[in-house]
Amino acid sequence: VGHRLYLGMDFGTSGARFVLIDKQGTIQAQGKREYPLLYMSEETMDWVSSWKKTLFSLLEDVPVSLRPLIASISIDGTSATTLIIDSTTGEPLWRPFLYNESCPDALPIVKSIAPANHTVCSGSSTLCKLVSWWNSDDSNKEHALLLHQADWLLWLLHGKLGISDYNNALKVGYDPEHDSYPSWLLSQPYSRVLPSVKAPGASIGYLQEDIRTQFGFPKDCVVCTGTTDSIAAFLAARATQPGKAVTSLGSTLAIKLLSTSRIEDARFGVYSHRLDDKWLVGGASNTGGAVLRQIFTDEQLEKLSEQINPMEASPLDYYPLHAVGERFPVADPKMVPRLQPRPESDVEYLHGILESIARIEAKAYSLLKDMGATQVDEVFTAGGGAKNRTWAKIRERVLGLPVSRAIQTEAAYGAALLALKGAQRDIDIP
Ligand code: ADP
């Protein structure tokens, strides 16, 4: 077959990106698009049309000369972004529910049918969105079908309605361990709108012929199931062995660890996504870069960090939060930020804050281990704080582990790796 390429697309919260890689994972082309502002009425954004337009804009952005080499395509979307469509036409029956939208009306109903502390027991879960729509729309629901954002965009490419992946389907209640919807969900009248579920990066079918010929993709180009945006970002770091982890140092501190065992603890907001025969365990603390930004400019952060000796432990013990309340690794909604006493020297102050955040990170990994996850042995870093080399050295000392910056952190790169996986799998396409 010769030289082939793999296309990943990420539909994130603020825009969409594509990354085209070769078999070695080297990027051959990439690009991004903002979502065009299309309106249904004066106030209501037409998200469905905007996403669709963006999808085809990204395909146009892929260099014409590289398109004939593309073997497979995959897409990630924002978790819990939900569409209710007509299963005969694919047209939306209802406006889409966005990832962060809450449906408090459905929460008591969902809590009454789901096991205690299940992932669906949150107002913004896909299941709450489904129940809220089911109870508010009086029209005929015979042909209704639920799809996640990534499923629907992939459908535009392959044309087979009703397919999702077990990462996107987790928040609608799918059980990835038993690879089925649980009986408490299947006994509900709305269970017939649920999509069928495959592993992420499984080939679904060939790219539709009209799209293929319009854009100049090859005849054997397959479309593969996707995942959620945060899982795609983890996949980008290529941390494929149990014990490898990614700490994201953005506005908040989020950790994700590849584990051989599944762990869940609603008190700490800890849960696991399936990745083939392993589990991706995640937790998020409210500490992180937002506090740093309240005190220092990014330029100050760089200058001051250069003057810190990372080999020396700071005696200052803070709990940097930008508002009251913490969830993980300490579950305390009333926790008060602690950033006192402030020394005269800003270098010492920053050293104390970076060291304290590193201690919280260490506590987070050790809590996951206590809960039964695989012990972490190497940490990759993503987010705005990843470029701080002094901080990485402080973290290596405090964690007692190798810490490095992840080479790739774009979710679109992770989606491209899923496309590569889908193309390499020997699955017969019906
Ligand atoms: P978001 O979560 O908003 O996407 P980013 O990943 O863009 O965040 O990271 C932004 C954060 O990175 C800011 O809160 C900022 O304080 C922090 N940051 C920027 N530069 C540095 C630096 N040199 N050292 C540590 N933190 C930094």
Side-chain angles (χ1 to χ4, degrees), residues 224-241:
C224 307
T225 49
T227 185
T228 68
D229 55 349
S230 60
I231 294 182
F234 177 87
L235 295 175
R238 305 194 91 161
T240 50
Q241 297 301 313

Side-chain angles (χ1 to χ4, degrees), residues 249-252 289-290 292-293 298 301-302 305 383-385 387-388 391:
L249 296 172
S251 307
T252 59
L292 292 173
R293 194 157 268 177
D298 286 4
L301 284 176
E302 259 175 58
S305 296
K387 60 175 171 282
N388 189 326
W391 201 1

